[in-house]
Amino acid sequence: MTGELQGSHDPHGPVFAVLAALSGMEREYIREKTLDGQESARRRGKAIGGARVSDPTMLAMALHMRDAEKLSLRDIAPRLVITTGKKKGQHPSPATVLRMLRDHDERVAASAESADVAP
């Protein structure tokens, strides 16, 4: 007989099962503590995440390029330039442009809904 034992004869099987269970429990504990810490920071007024790189001018330019020029997010992002902060002079990522435009569209939709509901 050659090779490792497998199945019910494998002496390491239960050990690995216990270690895997402990690892899963630790991962869940870390996740819960992280979420609790973020919630606590928000209650104290701390911002979670990176600094904002968009401004009203950048939003206006992105809206113009999307609506009037019919450009895609990948075409819009390299044409915009961050004007403040650590990333000044760099271009925003397409994901940042997507978030910026999506947030704007959601605000417009919400304000249109509230205008329709108001008497």
Side-chain angles (χ1 to χ4, degrees):
M1 225 164 84
T2 60
E4 296 182 23
L5 294 175
Q6 294 185 3
S8 61
H9 303 290
D10 184 7
H12 302 293
V15 173
F16 288 128
V18 169
L19 290 175
L22 289 173
S23 173
M25 289 171 37
E26 183 177 8
R27 184 174 46 249
E28 185 62 28
Y29 174 77
I30 291 170
R31 179 180 176 275
E32 288 175 10
K33 286 300 189 182
T34 301
L35 293 175
D36 290 345
Q38 289 175 348
E39 183 181 331
S40 173
R42 284 189 194 100
R43 280 195 308 264
R44 292 190 317 266
K46 302 288 183 185
I48 303 294
R52 297 190 72 70
V53 297
S54 61
D55 58 11
T57 305
M58 185 185 294
L59 175 61
M61 291 177 67
L63 286 169
H64 174 75
M65 286 186 239
R66 180 186 71 177
D67 298 335
E69 298 179 25
K70 305 290 186 208
L71 295 176
S72 70
L73 295 174
R74 290 179 188 245
D75 294 333
I76 294 172
R79 295 180 182 201
L80 299 175
V81 177
I82 299 170
T83 57
T84 60
K86 256 189 343 187
K87 296 187 176 191
K88 182 177 182 177
Q90 296 180 14
H91 304 288
S93 70
T96 299
V97 175
L98 171 68
R99 250 188 325 273
M100 181 174 57
L101 292 172
R102 184 186 59 213
D103 291 347
H104 171 266
D105 293 343
E106 287 174 358
R107 283 193 306 271
V108 168
S111 66
E113 266 184 29
S114 65
D116 290 342
V117 173

